[in-house]
Amino acid sequence: MRSKKIPVGLILLVSLIFVGFGDQFLPPEIGKYSFQTRTAIDQIFVNAFPNWKPKTQPYERTEEAVRDMKR
């Protein structure tokens, strides 16, 4: 007895289509899960990259030079 293997690429493609467009084309009972999944993935990426606030002031030297020229 031989089992049929499903290609990994096909599974990824179907998953991406479901998450990306499922709530638009599927019935509302199933489409809501697509929307919830997409929202959860969005939140993961938003939380993975918090707001970056540089510790230095990159334009400080330029602004100081402009102030000196105005004097």
Side-chain angles (χ1 to χ4, degrees), residues 9-64:
L10 180 62
I11 293 172
L12 288 174
L13 180 65
V14 170
S15 299
L16 286 173
I17 291 172
F18 173 74
V19 170
F21 304 103
D23 59 324
Q24 297 172 6
F25 298 109
L26 295 174
E29 297 84 21
I30 300 171
K32 69 179 179 181
Y33 296 113
S34 169
F35 180 74
Q36 289 173 350
T37 305
R38 187 171 56 246
T39 303
I41 291 171
D42 287 346
Q43 286 302 315
I44 289 170
F45 282 113
V46 166
N47 293 334
F49 303 104
N51 291 339
W52 178 67
K53 295 180 182 173
K55 294 178 182 176
T56 61
Q57 296 177 346
Y59 302 112
E60 181 179 7
R61 193 172 61 177
T62 304
E63 290 171 352
E64 187 177 321

